[in-house]
Amino acid sequence: LAAGARLAPPSQDYYDLEQYPETYTAYNGSHVWHFVYDKLCFRAAAAREEKQRRDDAPLDDDALDDAAALDSALDSDFDDDDWRAVFDRAVSGVHASISCHVAEGYPDESAVQAEFDRRVGHHPDRVANVHFALAVVLTALREAKASLLAYDYDIQQGEDATKKTRNLAHRIATQPILDDDDLATVAATLREAGMMANECVLAVNQDKQFLEESGIWQMRQRSRAMLRLMDCIACGVCRLHGKVCWFGLATAFKLIYSDRRTKPLARVEVAALIVALEKLASSVRFINEMTNDDL
């Protein structure tokens, strides 16, 4: 996933994410998420392809015999370990994380619980996908541990600021959870999905055979499309936080799925990865508070 997603080239515009926190803004971004799930997520695309195939098939005995199987395919999910499911669940996890921040900042404090339940709490899959997205980012940090420890954190704001930034990054890179056995299992599962995603498959279209793009390439293109789509968000704060969080996930995919030639990280990738970690971890903390679960 080299250059799996790119933000605009560095500029003189910097934003303090504490000064402009991710919170409730009254902006309705449902049209954006509808497009994401309908056009960018793999499950919806697969369902459309199956439906098109069924609609175009001649109504012979074989087609009639296959009808039930095709209907079942439309309703089934990918394997949880499938690389397409990894992408789709990461999208859902980012969406649910954003919803957590929106609910936590809801202006009517008496309605925070109801707003959380409506957006996330009453949807176990969304809760699970926030945890999943966090696991993807933690896995990426585990993969990048050596790079993060050796990285040049000169932020050109004086030696003290650079030292503070370096120390904070080193604290993150040396957290015990990155060496946890459960995370090692997650990392191995994600890498296995990446091996499948690297394979090109022979496809047939109107009697013509061709090599279909690998899953890694498809994820790369859809990650870029996600960032471009974020530019359609009219709310500036929503656009900023959405792009940074997704860029962090795209960087995580790069670290997990790409080969060593693409391992070096740009400064903006390091920043986005750490910001995504904070956002997802905060969402998990908020979920635990709202559901009275222990960390």
Side-chain angles (χ1 to χ4, degrees):
L1 278 178
R6 290 291 187 198
L7 289 173
S11 70
Q12 296 304 310
D13 296 326
Y14 292 91
Y15 298 92
D16 185 338
L17 297 184
E18 292 184 347
Q19 183 180 355
Y20 301 98
E22 184 174 20
T23 186
Y24 178 84
T25 64
Y27 175 73
N28 183 356
S30 58
H31 60 295
V32 176
W33 288 110
H34 178 78
F35 184 93
V36 168
Y37 290 119
D38 189 49
K39 302 298 184 183
L40 298 184
C41 287
F42 287 98
R43 184 177 183 276
R48 282 196 305 274
E49 289 172 6
E50 290 289 358
K51 186 177 186 303
Q52 186 66 44
R53 181 179 139 199
R54 180 179 62 182
D55 292 345
D56 291 345
L59 198 60
D60 55 19
D61 290 341
D62 290 339
L64 290 172
D65 290 341
D66 279 347
L70 290 173
D71 283 335
S72 177
L74 289 174
D75 295 330
S76 64
D77 287 320
F78 297 118
D79 247 357
D80 284 345
D81 296 339
D82 189 284
W83 57 270
R84 292 163 294 186
V86 170
F87 181 89
D88 287 2
R89 292 190 68 189
V91 170
S92 173
V94 168
H95 185 190
S97 174
I98 291 171
S99 295
C100 285
H101 288 280
V102 169
E104 188 171 18
Y106 203 66
D108 182 357
E109 293 185 4
S110 64
V112 168
Q113 183 70 56
E115 192 66 14
F116 166 77
D117 290 340
R118 181 179 73 84
R119 293 174 179 269
V120 180
H122 288 167
H123 306 274
D125 56 324
R126 298 177 189 177
V127 172
N129 288 339
V130 175
H131 287 82
F132 178 81
L134 176 60
V136 170
V137 172
L138 287 171
T139 299
L141 288 169
R142 184 178 188 274
E143 296 290 308
K145 183 175 182 177
S147 297
L148 291 174
L149 290 174
Y151 198 81
D152 179 9
Y153 290 99
D154 183 4
I155 61 174
Q156 299 179 355
Q157 293 183 18
E159 181 59 33
D160 289 343
T162 295
K163 183 178 179 180
K164 180 180 179 181
T165 302
R166 184 187 301 115
N167 289 341
L168 288 172
H170 284 194
R171 282 179 58 192
I172 292 173
T174 54
Q175 286 296 307
I177 191 173
L178 299 184
D179 297 318
D180 188 85
D181 290 342
D182 289 338
L183 190 62
T185 301
V186 172
T189 302
L190 290 173
R191 281 196 297 272
E192 184 177 347
M195 291 176 62
M196 293 186 291
N198 266 313
E199 298 175 356
C200 293
V201 298
L202 187 65
V204 179
N205 183 18
Q206 296 179 347
D207 299 327
K208 294 180 180 179
Q209 292 185 342
F210 62 95
L211 278 177
E212 192 176 62
E213 294 172 340
S214 72
I216 291 293
W217 179 261
Q218 292 182 51
M219 291 180 72
R220 173 184 177 181
Q221 294 301 96
R222 293 183 191 220
S223 289
R224 287 182 167 181
M226 276 285 290
L227 284 180
R228 290 195 298 269
L229 184 62
M230 295 289 180
D231 287 329
C232 299
I233 298 174
C235 169
V237 171
C238 307
R239 181 169 61 250
L240 171 65
H241 286 277
K243 291 188 75 168
V244 171
C245 189
W246 181 254
F247 191 57
L249 263 294
T251 300
F253 287 143
K254 167 184 172 176
L255 287 164
I256 296 168
Y257 290 153
S258 59
D259 59 39
R260 293 192 178 275
R261 291 172 300 176
T262 60
K263 292 293 185 183
L265 293 173
R267 174 179 169 180
V268 68
E269 292 174 317
V270 174
L273 187 65
I274 292 176
V275 171
L277 172 68
E278 187 278 331
K279 288 180 176 299
L280 292 165
S282 294
S283 295
V284 168
R285 184 254 323 148
F286 181 63
I287 289 171
N288 289 331
E289 288 178 0
M290 291 293 99
T291 57
N292 297 316
D293 285 341
D294 292 329
L295 288 171

